Amino acid sequence: MRRWIVEFWRTLSRPSQHFSLGFLALGGFVAGILFWGGFNTAMEFTNTETFCIACHEMEANPYAELKPTIHYTNRSGVRATCSDCHVPQDWTRKVARKMEASKEVWGWVFGTINTPEKYEAKRRELAEREWARLRANDSLECRNCHTFEYMDFTVQTARARQLHATALADGDATCIDCHKGIAHRLPDMTDVPGW
Amino acid sequence: MKAAVAILLGLMLAAAAGASPNLSAPAPDGLRPGGSLADSHPAPVIAPPERDAHPTPRAHPYLPPVVPHHVRDHQLDLNANRCLSCHDVGRAEAMLAPPMTPTHYRDREGKETERIAGGRYFCLQCHVAQQQVRSPVGNDFFYQGRRHAPLDR
């Protein structure tokens, strides 16, 4: 084993005898693209809904709850998928979120929320985390689809117009402050401000 | 054998012909058109919910007002009551909604309650959301000389 490592190191450190520098540089470049592309493709795959609901916990709870809501079925036929609301579009933040998600894999392996009872018990904590994240980034994921600048208040309902033209326009509140539970059932809301 | 089948068929036809006029009788109040049991009719269209109505006049005092807005995805269970998030007295001002009246904060013995009374928690028991439909029958309810037919727009 040790001999093999030494041999391997020698080969690596010896200047190339058979390939030109140009070939090696180009080869490295192509390999880099392949690796990068592969990495991003793999990451994109983990962004698909098929991936998200491949595990039973997500299919039985958040996905089933999403189905009757306006973000799954509505008059315009445009829908939101899990990653639209839960994964940042910006690359650095996306990678950061994916690294955080490794903890969720841990939870999956050990079945932290693998029964409806366990899910319900954890729901408030999980929801709080999403609320905090969206509050901190001024509801960025919502705004990827719903842009304040393009909202036509004249066709909004009276209830919506009254508050969008005041608290939202002034920046006193962000989408998630008023729109909790737009995609899933809410946890026990005792002591949540505004409930 | 053939004769037996023919007689049976004949009998069945006669029975069907004899029975159908009764089945097809229209409901007396005009709610159901004639023939609705024996024949099939096109289903009425599913009425879209009223998303943004104006407060509907109440027929008489103490009548729970109908809900003048849509209630889609309004969670109302043990975990959360979305109606309260706007209509609770402490919230109404900030959400620019009419606050619930004191009757909602009184239990059945008439004692004041700090939070919403248990009997008033499920708002949609008394306050109904509206759909864009014409009432199928007229309404001849009078209260203090005023006729009440707010849905016949």
Side-chain angles (χ1 to χ4, degrees):
Chain A
M1 182 67 189
R2 221 179 117 236
R3 251 197 38 226
W4 186 83
I5 290 173
V6 170
E7 267 302 300
F8 185 67
W9 177 246
R10 278 213 192 111
T11 321
L12 264 192
S13 55
R14 209 168 33 222
S16 161
Q17 288 167 353
H18 306 289
F19 303 109
S20 70
L21 181 65
F23 177 86
L24 284 180
L26 204 69
F29 185 67
V30 171
I33 289 181
L34 287 181
F35 173 74
W36 183 247
F39 180 69
N40 269 335
T41 309
M43 200 160 69
E44 278 319 315
F45 174 67
T46 64
N47 262 0
T48 60
E49 197 160 82
T50 340
F51 177 83
C52 297
I53 60 174
C55 76
H56 172 74
E57 287 89 331
M58 292 299 122
E59 209 220 318
N61 302 298
Y63 182 61
E65 290 164 10
L66 176 66
K67 279 179 164 181
T69 73
I70 197 155
H71 282 101
Y72 188 91
T73 171
N74 56 55
R75 66 199 147 173
S76 3
V78 183
R79 60 159 298 215
T81 59
C82 316
S83 58
D84 288 329
C85 291
H86 288 295
V87 186
Q89 289 194 337
D90 167 64
W91 196 85
T92 344
R93 294 216 223 168
K94 179 152 68 180
V95 173
R97 180 65 188 86
K98 293 286 175 192
M99 271 148 62
E100 232 176 76
S102 10
K103 196 176 144 219
E104 289 150 27
V105 176
W106 181 269
W108 173 69
V109 171
F110 289 94
T112 324
I113 48 171
N114 62 0
T115 66
E117 292 75 22
K118 285 196 212 164
Y119 189 88
E120 204 49 54
K122 269 262 186 190
R123 192 196 282 273
R124 174 74 179 261
E125 184 190 331
L126 298 173
E128 294 261 8
R129 224 184 284 157
E130 278 306 293
W131 294 332
R133 187 180 64 81
L134 285 164
R135 206 170 290 123
N137 69 9
D138 197 11
S139 312
L140 183 67
E141 277 72 48
C142 313
R143 290 173 196 262
N144 284 339
C145 288
H146 298 275
T147 319
F148 176 73
E149 283 73 23
Y150 301 127
M151 277 186 182
D152 183 350
F153 289 165
T154 61
V155 293
Q156 286 192 346
T157 62
R159 281 193 307 168
R161 182 169 57 237
Q162 293 186 111
L163 287 165
H164 288 171
T166 52
L168 177 63
D170 301 343
D172 295 339
T174 186
C175 317
I176 200 66
D177 290 329
C178 300
H179 292 293
K180 294 185 180 69
I182 38 108
H184 317 288
R185 307 295 298 172
L186 284 165
D188 183 354
M189 298 299 275
T190 318
D191 296 333
V192 174
W195 284 80
Chain B
M1 183 62 199
K2 264 197 196 135
V5 171
I7 289 171
L8 198 68
L9 268 179
L11 275 177
M12 279 164 72
L13 270 178
S20 54
N22 298 339
L23 282 178
S24 297
D29 52 7
L31 266 179
R32 194 186 71 217
S36 50
L37 283 186
D39 317 309
S40 46
H41 287 274
V45 288
I46 297 174
E50 195 85 80
R51 281 187 65 82
D52 196 15
H54 297 288
T56 315
R58 289 175 226 181
H60 60 87
Y62 309 117
L63 193 73
V66 296
V67 184
H69 50 72
H70 80 100
V71 293
R72 182 176 183 180
D73 300 344
H74 278 45
Q75 191 168 340
L76 215 176
D77 58 18
L78 192 61
N79 276 351
N81 184 332
R82 180 138 164 228
C83 313
L84 284 180
S85 77
C86 286
H87 289 290
D88 207 5
V89 279
R91 292 287 304 158
E93 200 183 337
M95 298 306 278
L96 305 171
M100 291 180 295
T101 48
T103 56
H104 297 71
Y105 297 90
R106 222 174 273 153
D107 65 17
R108 58 180 163 183
E109 272 84 46
K111 264 208 334 272
E112 307 266 313
T113 53
E114 200 180 317
R115 302 176 56 200
I116 179 141
R120 294 286 173 113
Y121 190 81
F122 294 102
C123 321
L124 296 177
Q125 273 184 319
C126 302
H127 300 282
V128 280
Q130 299 302 295
Q131 284 181 323
Q132 295 161 3
V133 285
R134 301 195 137 266
S135 40
V137 289
N139 185 343
D140 51 9
F141 179 71
F142 274 84
Y143 179 77
Q144 293 187 342
R146 199 164 65 82
R147 195 192 161 103
H148 176 64
L151 288 181
D152 290 327
R153 270 170 273 155

